[in-house]
Amino acid sequence: MKCLLVAINAKYIHSNLALYSLKASAEAAIREGRLTGEVQVELAEYTINHRAAEILDDIYMRKADLLCFSCYIWNIEYVKTLVRNLKRLRPQVPIWLGGPEVSFDLEAQMGEVPEADGILYGEGEHSFPGLLHFYESYTGPGVLPGGSAYRDGAKRVIVTPPEEPVRLDEIPFAYETVWNEKDFQNRILYYETSRGCPFSCSYCLSSIDKRLRFRSLSKVYEELKFFLDRKVPQVKFVDRTFNCKKDRAVAIWRFLRDHDNGVTNFHFEISAELLDEESLALLEALRPGLIQLEIGVQSANPKTLKAICRMTDLKKLRQVTGQIGQRRNIHRHLDLIAGLPHEDYESFGYSFDEVYSMGPDELQLGFLKVLKGTNMHEEAERYHILYQAEAPFEVLETPWLSHEDLIHLKQVEEMVEIYYNSRQFLYSMKFLLPFFGRPFLMYESLGRFWAVRGMARRKHAREALYEFLLDYVKEQMPAAAEVFKKPLTFDYYLRENAKKRPEFAAPQEIYKEEVRAKLAARFPEIPIKQLLKEFHVEVFDSFFTGGKEYWMFDYKNRDPLTGNADCVRL
């Protein structure tokens, strides 16, 4: 019997940890004799960018005896289409669903996808091998495992009780049997060392499970060594609040410090307020780029924070993120959510300014998703929050934010992604900010100009993004346009030694000999032709300190947090 586990990821760089874990659990059951060696479990990973017809054909040609789909808000509509058509093509093949998008209100979910034979809900490491055993030995009515929903002979939905919580040490390591360096090249690997969350954020599914469980440190060390030995580019911990148990978090960070391979980056979602001086001292000593921290702020409005059950200490959060940022060795990713209760347009702008002033390396501006199973799903009607009827259930309007307000905030989000999070416009943004006084007003103004120019929902060449900024300045603050070309040019060469010189950059021919002389003086042992290939030197008039300045961009030595070239004033 062949079972095909199907993942449809949001992007190619993502991987589906849940399915790897199910496959590993099934293989452990085979080794232990709970399943026969006749059972085969295969993985099929696609993305939502694939055409549905291509995925359908590929799944059909794999000739599986059992199909299982992993369902999330980004792929559920896609999955429904595939299931309908696969059932038409191969009506005899059982199709099961699993994942957070189908694990709540099970009768309704079964009604929405009548072609599905059942749903596995909750933790699948025990129930999935049970499902395989059911179909492997199926000769008539049998007993399905705990944590399943299915239809009986009368088409009634039957829900079995959930399985007992899994002991994390009993779960086999997800990557050992599926590892293929070619398959995982340029992809993010997700990793889990704990389940449950001590907090009660009303919009988050993780807040439902208060049973904090941990994988033993001995297993964690062994598995981290697996990643380190293979020099995996990035590993993202999916632990909901990684540092909820301080001694454990410190022990893992110490292990990564002591076994650093100089390449792998580890991403953690943490609560900044839980970091004490010992933790901070350890973090400050890590290699630049070894870890990155994601910190959910969500709002700076006290009434909003209370409504979503977050007891955020903004003063402590600011102090801690600032202290981490001083060493410039850790990427700090801060989150905001638009559409929360009591947060109007003005209040959100204030929250934005607060977080922006903390100087994050990345500021993620998200929009509330009213997820099934969360307290927010229950409270949405009370708060009169309107949200999409289908996945991803994103907020459409609240009593505090009109739909037009949300449209403008999405314009702000796009500008932040392009002109802040890319880290390619550092000096241009610093130049513009004093004209507005507040960061939110700057990105709001850019966003509206972007929309007027019809730039939204289209891909743009890198040079076009710089030209847009210059056009904006020419129209909105023409007196500053000529001076603005200097930080714009600096940013342009900060990222790459472009072969084609941008039109807005000042002519450099007159400095040709001076540049060669300065490079030769700094690197007398290296031929000038080689120097001109390895470095770019840009001459500015009255940019930083007044007078003529020679800035050398070293592309071999880059900032590990921004990817920008090292800059030296000659």
Side-chain angles (χ1 to χ4, degrees), residues 493-494 523 534-536 551-559 564-568:
Y493 282 103
L494 198 58
F523 304 102
E534 293 182 3
F535 304 100
H536 173 76
W551 284 90
M552 182 183 74
F553 298 83
D554 181 354
Y555 300 103
K556 286 189 174 180
N557 294 301
R558 293 180 178 270
D559 185 318
N564 290 330
D566 185 28
C567 298
V568 179

Side-chain angles (χ1 to χ4, degrees), residues 165-432:
V166 179
R167 293 183 64 230
L168 295 198
D169 272 10
E170 294 177 358
I171 300 174
F173 182 47
Y175 292 100
E176 196 152 21
T177 61
V178 299
W179 180 259
N180 181 308
E181 191 168 348
K182 183 179 178 182
D183 290 344
F184 288 106
Q185 196 171 27
N186 302 319
R187 300 182 74 190
I188 298 169
L189 298 191
Y190 295 89
Y191 179 59
E192 179 181 51
T193 73
S194 68
R195 287 183 182 174
C197 182
F199 300 109
S200 303
C201 307
S202 64
Y203 53 84
C204 182
L205 279 172
S206 299
S207 66
I208 298 168
D209 187 359
K210 298 297 180 191
R211 302 164 299 185
L212 275 169
R213 290 163 288 155
F214 301 93
R215 200 163 176 82
S216 64
L217 284 175
S218 59
K219 282 189 175 290
V220 171
Y221 294 156
E222 182 182 335
E223 291 157 2
L224 290 176
K225 192 171 184 303
F226 178 94
F227 298 129
L228 290 162
D229 288 347
R230 288 156 182 78
K231 295 189 175 181
V232 171
Q234 186 174 53
V235 176
K236 277 197 173 186
F237 279 62
V238 297
D239 305 45
R240 297 314 301 167
T241 306
F242 174 75
N243 64 327
C244 63
K245 194 172 181 181
K246 177 216 162 181
D247 291 347
R248 177 186 175 81
V250 166
I252 291 173
W253 286 333
R254 280 183 180 144
F255 180 88
L256 295 178
R257 177 198 64 190
D258 296 342
H259 297 81
D260 181 17
N261 62 14
V263 174
T264 306
N265 166 265
F266 295 88
H267 178 106
F268 302 91
E269 188 171 336
I270 68 161
S271 171
E273 297 101 307
L274 297 180
L275 293 175
D276 60 10
E277 287 305 317
E278 180 188 7
S279 302
L280 288 168
L282 172 60
L283 293 175
E284 289 171 6
L286 299 179
R287 166 181 64 84
L290 173 59
I291 74 167
Q292 60 189 52
L293 301 177
E294 181 174 351
I295 300 165
V297 184
Q298 319 314 5
S299 175
N301 182 328
K303 195 172 182 181
T304 297
L305 292 171
K306 184 177 180 181
I308 61 174
C309 301
R310 284 184 70 87
M311 301 296 105
T312 303
D313 183 343
L314 286 170
K315 184 177 179 181
K316 174 73 181 296
L317 193 150
R318 173 184 289 277
Q319 179 262 318
V320 167
T321 56
Q323 188 170 338
I324 294 171
Q326 286 176 1
R327 276 274 288 115
R328 294 295 303 146
N329 67 322
I330 293 175
H331 174 101
R332 295 158 303 143
H333 173 131
L334 303 188
D335 297 335
L336 281 173
I337 297 177
L340 296 172
H342 307 295
E343 187 97 273
D344 60 20
Y345 193 81
E346 182 179 352
S347 167
F348 187 84
Y350 169 74
S351 293
F352 182 95
D353 291 341
E354 279 288 295
V355 175
Y356 194 92
S357 68
M358 296 177 191
D361 300 287
E362 183 174 350
L363 198 173
Q364 180 175 316
L365 200 171
F367 293 81
L368 176 66
K369 310 292 191 299
V370 182
L371 303 177
K372 299 167 190 172
T374 64
N375 288 333
M376 184 58 69
H377 189 264
E378 303 299 320
E379 295 170 349
E381 186 174 350
R382 175 167 68 88
Y383 281 122
H384 303 290
I385 294 175
L386 299 180
Y387 57 93
Q388 294 170 341
E390 63 288 316
F393 311 110
E394 188 171 283
V395 63
L396 293 171
E397 188 173 78
T398 78
W400 304 276
L401 278 174
S402 69
H403 192 63
E404 184 174 341
D405 289 336
L406 286 164
I407 289 171
H408 291 313
L409 290 180
K410 289 193 174 182
Q411 293 169 355
V412 172
E413 177 203 22
E414 188 167 12
M415 293 300 94
V416 170
E417 279 297 309
I418 293 171
Y419 290 109
Y420 185 83
N421 290 342
S422 72
R423 314 309 283 165
Q424 295 187 45
F425 301 87
L426 297 175
Y427 293 102
S428 300
M429 293 297 102
K430 286 179 182 178
F431 179 92
L432 291 178

Side-chain angles (χ1 to χ4, degrees), residues 120-192:
L120 283 185
Y121 70 94
E123 297 178 316
E125 285 87 1
H126 284 168
S127 58
F128 178 63
L131 182 70
L132 294 176
H133 177 71
F134 173 82
Y135 281 106
E136 178 191 30
S137 59
Y138 183 72
T139 56
V143 179
L144 280 156
S148 60
Y150 61 97
R151 296 180 185 85
D152 64 8
K155 302 299 182 183
R156 293 172 301 188
V157 175
I158 307 299
V159 179
T160 65
E163 291 278 3
E164 288 296 311
V166 179
R167 293 183 64 230
L168 295 198
D169 272 10
E170 294 177 358
I171 300 174
F173 182 47
Y175 292 100
E176 196 152 21
T177 61
V178 299
W179 180 259
N180 181 308
E181 191 168 348
K182 183 179 178 182
D183 290 344
F184 288 106
Q185 196 171 27
N186 302 319
R187 300 182 74 190
I188 298 169
L189 298 191
Y190 295 89
Y191 179 59
E192 179 181 51

